[in-house]
Amino acid sequence: MLASNSRTPLKVLNPTLADRLRVFNTAARTLQAQGIRIQGFYPNENMLVVSPEAGQRLVDQGQSTGFKRHKSAGSTRFNVQFQGVTLEWREPISFARPSDWACPTIH
């Protein structure tokens, strides 16, 4: 086996990745400082998963942008942008809705 006499420092983080991780960590720390529990960390996708209540709270407070709703058979997935990071949460179909949604259906 050949061995190298010179040790080249291995640089794992390039400047772009280092900046992206800095933004990701800052957003995660800001959410945690606001009392929001993060349920999933996905730095490769630049995404954090939060609870439905936490996501709605951020939307109601105007701390997020780009609200998107993706409906499926069993749940609805929501995405917003928060300080350069995507936040995601899911609400099952049986999730509690406002009282005005419970009005009688007229056929």
Side-chain angles (χ1 to χ4, degrees):
M1 181 183 286
L2 297 174
S4 174
N5 291 337
S6 63
R7 297 264 173 165
T8 322
L10 183 62
K11 190 167 189 174
V12 178
L13 291 177
N14 61 33
T16 304
L17 182 57
D19 186 51
R20 188 169 152 195
L21 284 174
R22 181 189 55 76
V23 169
F24 182 83
N25 288 336
T26 301
R29 287 185 182 119
T30 301
L31 289 171
Q32 290 174 331
Q34 293 179 6
I36 294 175
R37 182 176 168 267
I38 299 173
Q39 298 176 344
F41 292 86
Y42 301 95
N44 290 339
E45 292 86 14
N46 199 34
M47 182 176 72
L48 296 165
V49 177
V50 297
S51 69
E53 297 81 13
Q56 277 307 130
R57 189 173 92 194
L58 290 169
V59 170
D60 293 344
Q61 292 174 351
Q63 295 186 25
S64 60
T65 59
F67 184 83
K68 294 181 185 176
R69 180 186 326 218
H70 309 277
K71 296 179 182 181
S72 68
S75 65
T76 303
R77 180 173 45 98
F78 297 91
N79 289 29
V80 295
Q81 290 293 310
F82 176 78
Q83 296 183 356
V85 175
T86 300
L87 297 183
E88 179 178 290
W89 67 92
R90 293 179 186 269
E91 292 180 2
I93 290 176
S94 61
F95 196 75
R97 298 288 179 206
S99 60
D100 60 340
W101 284 42
C103 53
T105 304
I106 300 172
H107 295 280

